[in-house]
Structure formats: structure tokens, C-alpha cells
Amino acid sequence: MRKYFKKLPLELKEIISQAAKVSQEIQMPAYLVGGCLRDLILGVKNFDLDITVEGDGIIFAQHLARKLKSRLKIYVRFGTATLILNDRLKVDIATTRQEKYPYSAALPVVSSGSLKEDLKRRDFTINALALSLVADKQQKIIDPFGARADLALGRIRILHNLSFKDDPTRILRAIRFSQRLDFKIEPKTLALLKEAISAGALDKVNPHRMRDELILILKEQNPFGPIKQLGDLGALSFISTKLKIGKSTQGLFKSITKQINWFVKNFPARRQLDSWLVYFAALLETFTLPEIKVIICRLGLPKGDQKRVISYYQERDKLISSLSKKRRLPEQIFSLLEPLSYETIILLGAVSQNKNLKKHLADFLEIYNGMRLCICGDDLRGLGVLPGKEYQMIFAKVLAAKLNGQVRNRQAELALIRKLLQANK
Ligand code: CTP
């Protein structure tokens, strides 16, 4: 294991070493488990550490948080805790447990269990290995299901025949990992995965859980691969039975990726894009607005995300037709695009190949976006204008002049207001 540790970033090494110390001090065996260990062996960066403890995960987390001086969130209901060290590094801590599924797709009934039982309840062999955290000693790998062999062979394998029926969201996870890691789903696992889909296992899952898995897929580096594979398997009917993933979806996803890369490269200071939302909205291109509203409501998309998807579909045709014209005044571009989210703008740029539209989008992001006046209401009141229609009209006119480059500073804004008032007398 030493060779893998050598490559770890210092901050992760420090957490692991402090966790090993806590384990010794409070006499609770602790293990690094799951995806972080998988990625450690594969040499893939992963800043989400998972620790499982034989004893009491919450008490362990409290000790570790004190040692690392980190923020701690405790989830009493689940008996778990999360240490937040900074905005990209977190440690999830749980107590070893076993899970029983009372019926297919139910949430599992959890009870305490040994480390082996904790590993056995997991989705795939590659996620079912542990590393004992022992201070000052060589750490030992616990691999009861052949995880290392599967990692070496590039193989996704479930641990028991009922795995997909117990938790059908693992169907989406299998496809996601297989695409991300470029692993093959081994034949028996693939047969059981297909059997679970045919048996309607996915229809039994709460749509909100399906949505969360879908979002994880859309956050992957190349989301088209897993989406296409799921479409071919008939595993996207939870979005709509009418959804087809074909060449046009592929073209649109490619165009979105290009557009996102352009945005990230050219506007690094802007807020981070919710790229998944752009791909998600793109999946709905062939649906009518009422159909889209039904889908996003059933999936329980948060209200803000619903609004972004709906505003795109409500405005799309008008925006494309208006922005495809060459001669557009800055104030026109501003009033069309300023109310929209970046996600909507990115999708618009991906859907249309019109050169004028692309130029207007770029100008908006480079020059007009977020433009505000230097003057405020007090300035207008100072000049004798009271809040009301005239007030709004003056603001709009000065902002239009600023967008068009006719006024550039506060003095010029005030001068224009005086001129407008004079003309209105
Ligand atoms: N797990 C599972 N069944 C699920 C979800 C999770 O068995 N439906 C287990 C897996 O062992 C997984 C661990 O819980 O490794 C942690 O889950 P999660 O953080 O979702 O998975 P990671 O493997 O860390 O995946 P990623 O790299 O995408 O974060």
C-alpha cells in the first residue's frame, strides 16, 4: 500500500495519519473504505475520504474533528458525520453496518455489523475493500471479494445476485463507473442488470433518487457515453418513455461541451456553471413545454433549477430568432439575455450555430453582463424626479446609453439625465 500513499497529496496523508492516531487513542478500529480506496489504487485523484469505524462513528468523528480543527456535521438519524476541511476536501465517517432490504428498491433497514458485513452490503467489488488505519504500522488491506483483482482486470462486478433488485440505482452506478473508469461490466453482472431492468426494477425507485443518480451521470466528464448506454438499455424511462437518445442528442452534447469549455476558459471569474443542468435541459429538447413541466416536477427538481429549464424552453424560439439578426443594439442584447441564467445562455449557444447569435452571446458576456448605472435613486430625487413612471423611463434611457457606449461615467450619466429632463419640460 505504501506505493499508493506516496502519491497522495500531503493534506490527505495528514488526515489519514491523524485518523490512525484517533483510532489507537480511543480503541476503535477504523478503516478507509469505498471509492477513495478504489481511486487510490487506480491513481485517480479523489478528495472525498470515507472512513468506517468499528465502534461509534460519531464519537470517532468528534475526536478527529478536534485534532484536525475542522468543521463537523453530525447526522444523528443515520449515525454518520462529515468533516469539512475546505471547499474541496471532506471526510465522511460512519459506523460499520449491515443492511437488509425489506422489498425491492426499498430504503435498507440498517443495523450494526462487522467490517466484513459492511463491505458485503456494498454495490460492486471495486468499492468493497478496506484499509485498516493503524498508527505507526504498515496499513493492511482487507479485500474479501477480490476487489484488487477486479481493479487490475478493469471489471465491474456485483457482490450477490439480488444487488440490482435490492437497489436498482446501482444500475445507473454500474454504467457510470464503467464509462468513467473504462471498465467492463462482467457478463453475469450485465445479465442481472438487464434482467432487473426488464423486471421493471427502476420503476419502483422513488423518482427523486433516480434524479440524483442522473445528476451524478451528467456531472461526469463525458456524460453522453453513459446516457447513450442507459438509453439503449431502456433505463431512462424514469425521465420519459418517449425519450430517445440518438445522433442529435450526441451532436447537442458535443456542442454543449464545446460551449462550456469556451465559457470556463474565457470567463474564469464568473460563478461556476451547473453543467449537469445544461445537459439535463438538452435531454428534453424534443418535448413540449407542458411535458417538460410534468417531467421536472415528477423528478422533484429544486425550484430554482426548474425555473432555469422552463425559462430556456419558454424563451428559446424568440431568443434564437431575435439574436440571429446581425444588427442588434447592445441594449436589445442586454434586455434579452440579462434575465437569463448562464446555463440557459450556454444551451442557447450550443443549440444554434448562427454566427450572429454566437457573437451577441460573446459580447453580452464580455461587455454588457452585470452592467449597472453609477447614479442611483437619490441622484434622481436630488434633481427633483420622484419615483414613478418618469423615474423608470430615465433609468432605462441612461442604461441604454451606457450599454451603447454613449455615456461612460457618473458625470456623463448625470449630464444625460439633465438633458432628458430639459427635453421633457
Ligand atoms: N454504495 C453502495 N450502493 C449505493 C451507493 C453507494 O453500495 N447505491 C457504497 C459504495 O461502496 C460506495 C460508497 O457507498 O463506494 C460511497 O458511496 P458514494 O460516495 O456514492 O460512491 P463513491 O464510490 O465514492 O463514488 P464517486 O467516486 O462517484 O463519489
Side-chain angles (χ1 to χ4, degrees), residues 83-118:
L83 264 62
I84 301 137
L85 286 113
N86 53 48
D87 52 0
R88 57 181 193 133
L89 183 56
K90 71 175 179 59
V91 187
D92 287 322
I93 299 174
T95 312
T96 50
R97 63 181 193 258
Q98 51 179 324
E99 290 177 346
K100 293 228 157 49
Y101 293 83
Y103 53 90
S104 174
L107 288 177
V109 176
V110 173
S111 58
S112 66
S114 64
L115 173 71
K116 178 127 189 248
E117 282 161 334
D118 189 279

PDB file of all heavy atoms in Angstrom, residues 83-118:
ATOM      1  N   LEU A  83     -16.747  15.630   8.087  1.00  0.00           N
ATOM      2  CA  LEU A  83     -15.770  16.662   8.434  1.00  0.00           C
ATOM      3  C   LEU A  83     -15.523  17.484   7.182  1.00  0.00           C
ATOM      4  O   LEU A  83     -15.205  16.911   6.134  1.00  0.00           O
ATOM      5  CB  LEU A  83     -14.449  16.000   8.819  1.00  0.00           C
ATOM      6  CG  LEU A  83     -14.147  15.756  10.301  1.00  0.00           C
ATOM      7  CD1 LEU A  83     -15.162  14.816  10.885  1.00  0.00           C
ATOM      8  CD2 LEU A  83     -12.764  15.176  10.457  1.00  0.00           C
ATOM      9  N   ILE A  84     -15.696  18.785   7.301  1.00  0.00           N
ATOM     10  CA  ILE A  84     -15.455  19.620   6.126  1.00  0.00           C
ATOM     11  C   ILE A  84     -14.171  20.401   6.368  1.00  0.00           C
ATOM     12  O   ILE A  84     -14.113  21.271   7.232  1.00  0.00           O
ATOM     13  CB  ILE A  84     -16.642  20.564   5.855  1.00  0.00           C
ATOM     14  CG1 ILE A  84     -17.900  19.691   5.635  1.00  0.00           C
ATOM     15  CG2 ILE A  84     -16.424  21.420   4.610  1.00  0.00           C
ATOM     16  CD1 ILE A  84     -19.102  20.198   6.301  1.00  0.00           C
ATOM     17  N   LEU A  85     -13.147  20.062   5.606  1.00  0.00           N
ATOM     18  CA  LEU A  85     -11.844  20.690   5.839  1.00  0.00           C
ATOM     19  C   LEU A  85     -11.668  21.949   5.009  1.00  0.00           C
ATOM     20  O   LEU A  85     -11.113  22.926   5.462  1.00  0.00           O
ATOM     21  CB  LEU A  85     -10.735  19.682   5.570  1.00  0.00           C
ATOM     22  CG  LEU A  85     -10.705  18.675   6.721  1.00  0.00           C
ATOM     23  CD1 LEU A  85     -11.103  17.315   6.284  1.00  0.00           C
ATOM     24  CD2 LEU A  85      -9.384  18.710   7.406  1.00  0.00           C
ATOM     25  N   ASN A  86     -12.106  21.884   3.782  1.00  0.00           N
ATOM     26  CA  ASN A  86     -12.165  23.086   2.945  1.00  0.00           C
ATOM     27  C   ASN A  86     -13.173  22.804   1.831  1.00  0.00           C
ATOM     28  O   ASN A  86     -13.820  21.764   1.852  1.00  0.00           O
ATOM     29  CB  ASN A  86     -10.778  23.476   2.393  1.00  0.00           C
ATOM     30  CG  ASN A  86     -10.121  22.309   1.680  1.00  0.00           C
ATOM     31  OD1 ASN A  86     -10.750  21.655   0.862  1.00  0.00           O
ATOM     32  ND2 ASN A  86      -8.866  22.035   2.005  1.00  0.00           N
ATOM     33  N   ASP A  87     -13.270  23.733   0.855  1.00  0.00           N
ATOM     34  CA  ASP A  87     -14.384  23.548  -0.083  1.00  0.00           C
ATOM     35  C   ASP A  87     -14.206  22.374  -1.043  1.00  0.00           C
ATOM     36  O   ASP A  87     -15.125  22.030  -1.792  1.00  0.00           O
ATOM     37  CB  ASP A  87     -14.726  24.850  -0.827  1.00  0.00           C
ATOM     38  CG  ASP A  87     -13.523  25.472  -1.467  1.00  0.00           C
ATOM     39  OD1 ASP A  87     -12.432  24.889  -1.322  1.00  0.00           O
ATOM     40  OD2 ASP A  87     -13.657  26.533  -2.100  1.00  0.00           O
ATOM     41  N   ARG A  88     -13.041  21.708  -1.049  1.00  0.00           N
ATOM     42  CA  ARG A  88     -12.950  20.533  -1.945  1.00  0.00           C
ATOM     43  C   ARG A  88     -12.613  19.255  -1.186  1.00  0.00           C
ATOM     44  O   ARG A  88     -12.591  18.172  -1.755  1.00  0.00           O
ATOM     45  CB  ARG A  88     -11.930  20.776  -3.059  1.00  0.00           C
ATOM     46  CG  ARG A  88     -10.590  21.101  -2.547  1.00  0.00           C
ATOM     47  CD  ARG A  88      -9.531  21.366  -3.569  1.00  0.00           C
ATOM     48  NE  ARG A  88      -8.289  21.334  -2.816  1.00  0.00           N
ATOM     49  CZ  ARG A  88      -7.213  20.705  -3.155  1.00  0.00           C
ATOM     50  NH1 ARG A  88      -7.172  20.018  -4.274  1.00  0.00           N
ATOM     51  NH2 ARG A  88      -6.147  20.719  -2.395  1.00  0.00           N
ATOM     52  N   LEU A  89     -12.373  19.380   0.103  1.00  0.00           N
ATOM     53  CA  LEU A  89     -11.919  18.205   0.852  1.00  0.00           C
ATOM     54  C   LEU A  89     -12.875  17.896   2.000  1.00  0.00           C
ATOM     55  O   LEU A  89     -13.095  18.724   2.873  1.00  0.00           O
ATOM     56  CB  LEU A  89     -10.519  18.525   1.401  1.00  0.00           C
ATOM     57  CG  LEU A  89      -9.792  17.440   2.163  1.00  0.00           C
ATOM     58  CD1 LEU A  89      -9.660  16.182   1.336  1.00  0.00           C
ATOM     59  CD2 LEU A  89      -8.396  17.913   2.568  1.00  0.00           C
ATOM     60  N   LYS A  90     -13.464  16.653   1.950  1.00  0.00           N
ATOM     61  CA  LYS A  90     -14.327  16.282   3.072  1.00  0.00           C
ATOM     62  C   LYS A  90     -14.138  14.826   3.434  1.00  0.00           C
ATOM     63  O   LYS A  90     -13.671  14.023   2.615  1.00  0.00           O
ATOM     64  CB  LYS A  90     -15.789  16.623   2.777  1.00  0.00           C
ATOM     65  CG  LYS A  90     -16.450  15.778   1.744  1.00  0.00           C
ATOM     66  CD  LYS A  90     -17.920  16.186   1.669  1.00  0.00           C
ATOM     67  CE  LYS A  90     -18.679  15.406   0.628  1.00  0.00           C
ATOM     68  NZ  LYS A  90     -18.725  13.978   0.766  1.00  0.00           N
ATOM     69  N   VAL A  91     -14.468  14.513   4.674  1.00  0.00           N
ATOM     70  CA  VAL A  91     -14.317  13.139   5.162  1.00  0.00           C
ATOM     71  C   VAL A  91     -15.660  12.680   5.716  1.00  0.00           C
ATOM     72  O   VAL A  91     -16.217  13.307   6.617  1.00  0.00           O
ATOM     73  CB  VAL A  91     -13.268  13.075   6.302  1.00  0.00           C
ATOM     74  CG1 VAL A  91     -12.992  11.618   6.687  1.00  0.00           C
ATOM     75  CG2 VAL A  91     -11.981  13.784   5.921  1.00  0.00           C
ATOM     76  N   ASP A  92     -16.199  11.607   5.149  1.00  0.00           N
ATOM     77  CA  ASP A  92     -17.441  11.022   5.671  1.00  0.00           C
ATOM     78  C   ASP A  92     -17.076   9.892   6.614  1.00  0.00           C
ATOM     79  O   ASP A  92     -16.253   9.038   6.271  1.00  0.00           O
ATOM     80  CB  ASP A  92     -18.305  10.469   4.524  1.00  0.00           C
ATOM     81  CG  ASP A  92     -18.940  11.590   3.724  1.00  0.00           C
ATOM     82  OD1 ASP A  92     -19.347  12.590   4.346  1.00  0.00           O
ATOM     83  OD2 ASP A  92     -19.000  11.491   2.487  1.00  0.00           O
ATOM     84  N   ILE A  93     -17.704   9.918   7.781  1.00  0.00           N
ATOM     85  CA  ILE A  93     -17.388   8.891   8.784  1.00  0.00           C
ATOM     86  C   ILE A  93     -18.670   8.162   9.185  1.00  0.00           C
ATOM     87  O   ILE A  93     -19.705   8.785   9.457  1.00  0.00           O
ATOM     88  CB  ILE A  93     -16.713   9.534  10.010  1.00  0.00           C
ATOM     89  CG1 ILE A  93     -15.396  10.203   9.551  1.00  0.00           C
ATOM     90  CG2 ILE A  93     -16.424   8.484  11.088  1.00  0.00           C
ATOM     91  CD1 ILE A  93     -14.676  10.989  10.586  1.00  0.00           C
ATOM     92  N   ALA A  94     -18.612   6.826   9.181  1.00  0.00           N
ATOM     93  CA  ALA A  94     -19.792   6.024   9.537  1.00  0.00           C
ATOM     94  C   ALA A  94     -19.353   4.881  10.456  1.00  0.00           C
ATOM     95  O   ALA A  94     -18.161   4.639  10.628  1.00  0.00           O
ATOM     96  CB  ALA A  94     -20.424   5.457   8.279  1.00  0.00           C
ATOM     97  N   THR A  95     -20.351   4.224  11.027  1.00  0.00           N
ATOM     98  CA  THR A  95     -20.061   3.034  11.833  1.00  0.00           C
ATOM     99  C   THR A  95     -20.299   1.814  10.944  1.00  0.00           C
ATOM    100  O   THR A  95     -21.225   1.831  10.124  1.00  0.00           O
ATOM    101  CB  THR A  95     -21.030   2.980  13.044  1.00  0.00           C
ATOM    102  OG1 THR A  95     -21.049   4.273  13.654  1.00  0.00           O
ATOM    103  CG2 THR A  95     -20.594   1.937  14.054  1.00  0.00           C
ATOM    104  N   THR A  96     -19.476   0.775  11.091  1.00  0.00           N
ATOM    105  CA  THR A  96     -19.677  -0.418  10.248  1.00  0.00           C
ATOM    106  C   THR A  96     -21.100  -0.935  10.461  1.00  0.00           C
ATOM    107  O   THR A  96     -21.601  -0.974  11.583  1.00  0.00           O
ATOM    108  CB  THR A  96     -18.674  -1.527  10.613  1.00  0.00           C
ATOM    109  OG1 THR A  96     -18.702  -1.714  12.014  1.00  0.00           O
ATOM    110  CG2 THR A  96     -17.271  -1.210  10.156  1.00  0.00           C
ATOM    111  N   ARG A  97     -21.745  -1.309   9.355  1.00  0.00           N
ATOM    112  CA  ARG A  97     -23.150  -1.701   9.475  1.00  0.00           C
ATOM    113  C   ARG A  97     -23.521  -2.755   8.434  1.00  0.00           C
ATOM    114  O   ARG A  97     -22.814  -2.944   7.437  1.00  0.00           O
ATOM    115  CB  ARG A  97     -24.051  -0.483   9.293  1.00  0.00           C
ATOM    116  CG  ARG A  97     -23.950   0.152   7.927  1.00  0.00           C
ATOM    117  CD  ARG A  97     -24.865   1.357   7.853  1.00  0.00           C
ATOM    118  NE  ARG A  97     -25.068   1.849   6.514  1.00  0.00           N
ATOM    119  CZ  ARG A  97     -24.467   2.908   6.007  1.00  0.00           C
ATOM    120  NH1 ARG A  97     -23.574   3.561   6.725  1.00  0.00           N
ATOM    121  NH2 ARG A  97     -24.745   3.309   4.789  1.00  0.00           N
ATOM    122  N   GLN A  98     -24.651  -3.402   8.677  1.00  0.00           N
ATOM    123  CA  GLN A  98     -25.200  -4.263   7.636  1.00  0.00           C
ATOM    124  C   GLN A  98     -26.551  -3.699   7.223  1.00  0.00           C
ATOM    125  O   GLN A  98     -27.165  -2.926   7.959  1.00  0.00           O
ATOM    126  CB  GLN A  98     -25.298  -5.704   8.114  1.00  0.00           C
ATOM    127  CG  GLN A  98     -25.994  -5.906   9.432  1.00  0.00           C
ATOM    128  CD  GLN A  98     -26.055  -7.386   9.794  1.00  0.00           C
ATOM    129  OE1 GLN A  98     -26.215  -8.245   8.929  1.00  0.00           O
ATOM    130  NE2 GLN A  98     -25.913  -7.676  11.067  1.00  0.00           N
ATOM    131  N   GLU A  99     -26.968  -4.073   6.034  1.00  0.00           N
ATOM    132  CA  GLU A  99     -28.228  -3.531   5.514  1.00  0.00           C
ATOM    133  C   GLU A  99     -29.099  -4.667   5.009  1.00  0.00           C
ATOM    134  O   GLU A  99     -28.607  -5.610   4.390  1.00  0.00           O
ATOM    135  CB  GLU A  99     -27.934  -2.564   4.347  1.00  0.00           C
ATOM    136  CG  GLU A  99     -27.268  -1.278   4.796  1.00  0.00           C
ATOM    137  CD  GLU A  99     -26.918  -0.350   3.633  1.00  0.00           C
ATOM    138  OE1 GLU A  99     -26.945  -0.798   2.470  1.00  0.00           O
ATOM    139  OE2 GLU A  99     -26.605   0.820   3.901  1.00  0.00           O
ATOM    140  N   LYS A 100     -30.407  -4.553   5.281  1.00  0.00           N
ATOM    141  CA  LYS A 100     -31.357  -5.543   4.742  1.00  0.00           C
ATOM    142  C   LYS A 100     -32.445  -4.770   3.995  1.00  0.00           C
ATOM    143  O   LYS A 100     -32.929  -3.744   4.475  1.00  0.00           O
ATOM    144  CB  LYS A 100     -31.991  -6.350   5.877  1.00  0.00           C
ATOM    145  CG  LYS A 100     -31.005  -7.251   6.609  1.00  0.00           C
ATOM    146  CD  LYS A 100     -31.539  -8.678   6.789  1.00  0.00           C
ATOM    147  CE  LYS A 100     -30.442  -9.707   6.997  1.00  0.00           C
ATOM    148  NZ  LYS A 100     -29.437  -9.376   8.004  1.00  0.00           N
ATOM    149  N   TYR A 101     -32.781  -5.277   2.800  1.00  0.00           N
ATOM    150  CA  TYR A 101     -33.823  -4.625   2.001  1.00  0.00           C
ATOM    151  C   TYR A 101     -35.137  -5.369   2.186  1.00  0.00           C
ATOM    152  O   TYR A 101     -35.250  -6.518   1.745  1.00  0.00           O
ATOM    153  CB  TYR A 101     -33.422  -4.611   0.523  1.00  0.00           C
ATOM    154  CG  TYR A 101     -32.230  -3.714   0.273  1.00  0.00           C
ATOM    155  CD1 TYR A 101     -30.929  -4.183   0.492  1.00  0.00           C
ATOM    156  CD2 TYR A 101     -32.393  -2.403  -0.145  1.00  0.00           C
ATOM    157  CE1 TYR A 101     -29.825  -3.361   0.278  1.00  0.00           C
ATOM    158  CE2 TYR A 101     -31.299  -1.575  -0.354  1.00  0.00           C
ATOM    159  CZ  TYR A 101     -30.020  -2.056  -0.134  1.00  0.00           C
ATOM    160  OH  TYR A 101     -28.942  -1.235  -0.330  1.00  0.00           O
ATOM    161  N   PRO A 102     -36.138  -4.755   2.856  1.00  0.00           N
ATOM    162  CA  PRO A 102     -37.393  -5.474   3.107  1.00  0.00           C
ATOM    163  C   PRO A 102     -38.114  -5.844   1.808  1.00  0.00           C
ATOM    164  O   PRO A 102     -38.825  -6.823   1.750  1.00  0.00           O
ATOM    165  CB  PRO A 102     -38.217  -4.489   3.937  1.00  0.00           C
ATOM    166  CG  PRO A 102     -37.530  -3.169   3.853  1.00  0.00           C
ATOM    167  CD  PRO A 102     -36.116  -3.410   3.448  1.00  0.00           C
ATOM    168  N   TYR A 103     -37.965  -5.033   0.773  1.00  0.00           N
ATOM    169  CA  TYR A 103     -38.510  -5.346  -0.554  1.00  0.00           C
ATOM    170  C   TYR A 103     -37.671  -4.594  -1.583  1.00  0.00           C
ATOM    171  O   TYR A 103     -36.884  -3.706  -1.214  1.00  0.00           O
ATOM    172  CB  TYR A 103     -40.000  -4.978  -0.667  1.00  0.00           C
ATOM    173  CG  TYR A 103     -40.317  -3.551  -0.288  1.00  0.00           C
ATOM    174  CD1 TYR A 103     -40.296  -2.522  -1.219  1.00  0.00           C
ATOM    175  CD2 TYR A 103     -40.623  -3.216   1.048  1.00  0.00           C
ATOM    176  CE1 TYR A 103     -40.562  -1.213  -0.855  1.00  0.00           C
ATOM    177  CE2 TYR A 103     -40.885  -1.903   1.425  1.00  0.00           C
ATOM    178  CZ  TYR A 103     -40.855  -0.907   0.457  1.00  0.00           C
ATOM    179  OH  TYR A 103     -41.105   0.384   0.820  1.00  0.00           O
ATOM    180  N   SER A 104     -37.853  -4.975  -2.854  1.00  0.00           N
ATOM    181  CA  SER A 104     -37.036  -4.383  -3.907  1.00  0.00           C
ATOM    182  C   SER A 104     -37.164  -2.851  -3.936  1.00  0.00           C
ATOM    183  O   SER A 104     -38.270  -2.322  -3.857  1.00  0.00           O
ATOM    184  CB  SER A 104     -37.477  -4.969  -5.245  1.00  0.00           C
ATOM    185  OG  SER A 104     -36.802  -4.330  -6.282  1.00  0.00           O
ATOM    186  N   ALA A 105     -36.037  -2.175  -4.037  1.00  0.00           N
ATOM    187  CA  ALA A 105     -35.963  -0.711  -4.165  1.00  0.00           C
ATOM    188  C   ALA A 105     -36.346   0.047  -2.895  1.00  0.00           C
ATOM    189  O   ALA A 105     -36.454   1.268  -2.901  1.00  0.00           O
ATOM    190  CB  ALA A 105     -36.798  -0.203  -5.332  1.00  0.00           C
ATOM    191  N   ALA A 106     -36.556  -0.703  -1.785  1.00  0.00           N
ATOM    192  CA  ALA A 106     -36.871  -0.025  -0.515  1.00  0.00           C
ATOM    193  C   ALA A 106     -35.592   0.600   0.031  1.00  0.00           C
ATOM    194  O   ALA A 106     -34.486   0.216  -0.361  1.00  0.00           O
ATOM    195  CB  ALA A 106     -37.380  -1.055   0.487  1.00  0.00           C
ATOM    196  N   LEU A 107     -35.761   1.540   0.956  1.00  0.00           N
ATOM    197  CA  LEU A 107     -34.571   2.016   1.649  1.00  0.00           C
ATOM    198  C   LEU A 107     -34.172   0.917   2.629  1.00  0.00           C
ATOM    199  O   LEU A 107     -35.026   0.276   3.236  1.00  0.00           O
ATOM    200  CB  LEU A 107     -34.874   3.324   2.383  1.00  0.00           C
ATOM    201  CG  LEU A 107     -35.056   4.526   1.459  1.00  0.00           C
ATOM    202  CD1 LEU A 107     -35.435   5.763   2.254  1.00  0.00           C
ATOM    203  CD2 LEU A 107     -33.796   4.806   0.643  1.00  0.00           C
ATOM    204  N   PRO A 108     -32.876   0.642   2.768  1.00  0.00           N
ATOM    205  CA  PRO A 108     -32.483  -0.506   3.584  1.00  0.00           C
ATOM    206  C   PRO A 108     -32.707  -0.298   5.077  1.00  0.00           C
ATOM    207  O   PRO A 108     -32.665   0.828   5.571  1.00  0.00           O
ATOM    208  CB  PRO A 108     -30.987  -0.635   3.285  1.00  0.00           C
ATOM    209  CG  PRO A 108     -30.560   0.719   2.846  1.00  0.00           C
ATOM    210  CD  PRO A 108     -31.736   1.347   2.173  1.00  0.00           C
ATOM    211  N   VAL A 109     -32.950  -1.403   5.759  1.00  0.00           N
ATOM    212  CA  VAL A 109     -33.013  -1.368   7.221  1.00  0.00           C
ATOM    213  C   VAL A 109     -31.582  -1.625   7.709  1.00  0.00           C
ATOM    214  O   VAL A 109     -30.954  -2.608   7.336  1.00  0.00           O
ATOM    215  CB  VAL A 109     -33.964  -2.467   7.758  1.00  0.00           C
ATOM    216  CG1 VAL A 109     -33.956  -2.489   9.276  1.00  0.00           C
ATOM    217  CG2 VAL A 109     -35.362  -2.249   7.201  1.00  0.00           C
ATOM    218  N   VAL A 110     -31.106  -0.695   8.510  1.00  0.00           N
ATOM    219  CA  VAL A 110     -29.692  -0.724   8.892  1.00  0.00           C
ATOM    220  C   VAL A 110     -29.532  -1.236  10.320  1.00  0.00           C
ATOM    221  O   VAL A 110     -30.300  -0.883  11.206  1.00  0.00           O
ATOM    222  CB  VAL A 110     -29.122   0.718   8.785  1.00  0.00           C
ATOM    223  CG1 VAL A 110     -27.715   0.788   9.324  1.00  0.00           C
ATOM    224  CG2 VAL A 110     -29.175   1.194   7.346  1.00  0.00           C
ATOM    225  N   SER A 111     -28.547  -2.095  10.538  1.00  0.00           N
ATOM    226  CA  SER A 111     -28.203  -2.485  11.918  1.00  0.00           C
ATOM    227  C   SER A 111     -26.686  -2.604  12.011  1.00  0.00           C
ATOM    228  O   SER A 111     -26.005  -2.671  10.976  1.00  0.00           O
ATOM    229  CB  SER A 111     -28.868  -3.810  12.281  1.00  0.00           C
ATOM    230  OG  SER A 111     -28.460  -4.800  11.372  1.00  0.00           O
ATOM    231  N   SER A 112     -26.155  -2.612  13.229  1.00  0.00           N
ATOM    232  CA  SER A 112     -24.691  -2.620  13.322  1.00  0.00           C
ATOM    233  C   SER A 112     -24.159  -3.970  12.831  1.00  0.00           C
ATOM    234  O   SER A 112     -24.847  -4.988  12.901  1.00  0.00           O
ATOM    235  CB  SER A 112     -24.238  -2.334  14.742  1.00  0.00           C
ATOM    236  OG  SER A 112     -24.646  -3.392  15.553  1.00  0.00           O
ATOM    237  N   GLY A 113     -22.966  -3.944  12.308  1.00  0.00           N
ATOM    238  CA  GLY A 113     -22.402  -5.172  11.738  1.00  0.00           C
ATOM    239  C   GLY A 113     -20.890  -5.101  11.750  1.00  0.00           C
ATOM    240  O   GLY A 113     -20.309  -4.063  12.082  1.00  0.00           O
ATOM    241  N   SER A 114     -20.274  -6.197  11.362  1.00  0.00           N
ATOM    242  CA  SER A 114     -18.806  -6.256  11.339  1.00  0.00           C
ATOM    243  C   SER A 114     -18.292  -5.544  10.084  1.00  0.00           C
ATOM    244  O   SER A 114     -19.074  -5.185   9.197  1.00  0.00           O
ATOM    245  CB  SER A 114     -18.362  -7.714  11.294  1.00  0.00           C
ATOM    246  OG  SER A 114     -18.811  -8.268  10.075  1.00  0.00           O
ATOM    247  N   LEU A 115     -16.979  -5.394  10.007  1.00  0.00           N
ATOM    248  CA  LEU A 115     -16.399  -4.772   8.812  1.00  0.00           C
ATOM    249  C   LEU A 115     -16.747  -5.603   7.573  1.00  0.00           C
ATOM    250  O   LEU A 115     -17.119  -5.061   6.532  1.00  0.00           O
ATOM    251  CB  LEU A 115     -14.876  -4.653   8.947  1.00  0.00           C
ATOM    252  CG  LEU A 115     -14.217  -4.157   7.661  1.00  0.00           C
ATOM    253  CD1 LEU A 115     -14.533  -2.692   7.412  1.00  0.00           C
ATOM    254  CD2 LEU A 115     -12.719  -4.368   7.677  1.00  0.00           C
ATOM    255  N   LYS A 116     -16.648  -6.923   7.709  1.00  0.00           N
ATOM    256  CA  LYS A 116     -16.934  -7.793   6.557  1.00  0.00           C
ATOM    257  C   LYS A 116     -18.379  -7.587   6.091  1.00  0.00           C
ATOM    258  O   LYS A 116     -18.650  -7.487   4.885  1.00  0.00           O
ATOM    259  CB  LYS A 116     -16.662  -9.248   6.947  1.00  0.00           C
ATOM    260  CG  LYS A 116     -16.957 -10.222   5.855  1.00  0.00           C
ATOM    261  CD  LYS A 116     -15.797 -11.144   5.546  1.00  0.00           C
ATOM    262  CE  LYS A 116     -16.100 -11.951   4.285  1.00  0.00           C
ATOM    263  NZ  LYS A 116     -16.291 -13.357   4.532  1.00  0.00           N
ATOM    264  N   GLU A 117     -19.317  -7.483   7.030  1.00  0.00           N
ATOM    265  CA  GLU A 117     -20.720  -7.262   6.644  1.00  0.00           C
ATOM    266  C   GLU A 117     -20.888  -5.897   5.985  1.00  0.00           C
ATOM    267  O   GLU A 117     -21.664  -5.728   5.055  1.00  0.00           O
ATOM    268  CB  GLU A 117     -21.630  -7.378   7.869  1.00  0.00           C
ATOM    269  CG  GLU A 117     -21.890  -8.821   8.247  1.00  0.00           C
ATOM    270  CD  GLU A 117     -22.381  -8.988   9.690  1.00  0.00           C
ATOM    271  OE1 GLU A 117     -22.073  -8.128  10.556  1.00  0.00           O
ATOM    272  OE2 GLU A 117     -23.035  -9.996   9.938  1.00  0.00           O
ATOM    273  N   ASP A 118     -20.128  -4.938   6.489  1.00  0.00           N
ATOM    274  CA  ASP A 118     -20.187  -3.590   5.922  1.00  0.00           C
ATOM    275  C   ASP A 118     -19.696  -3.590   4.472  1.00  0.00           C
ATOM    276  O   ASP A 118     -20.244  -2.885   3.616  1.00  0.00           O
ATOM    277  CB  ASP A 118     -19.335  -2.636   6.771  1.00  0.00           C
ATOM    278  CG  ASP A 118     -19.540  -1.195   6.365  1.00  0.00           C
ATOM    279  OD1 ASP A 118     -18.914  -0.772   5.370  1.00  0.00           O
ATOM    280  OD2 ASP A 118     -20.350  -0.498   7.008  1.00  0.00           O
TER     281      ASP A 118
END
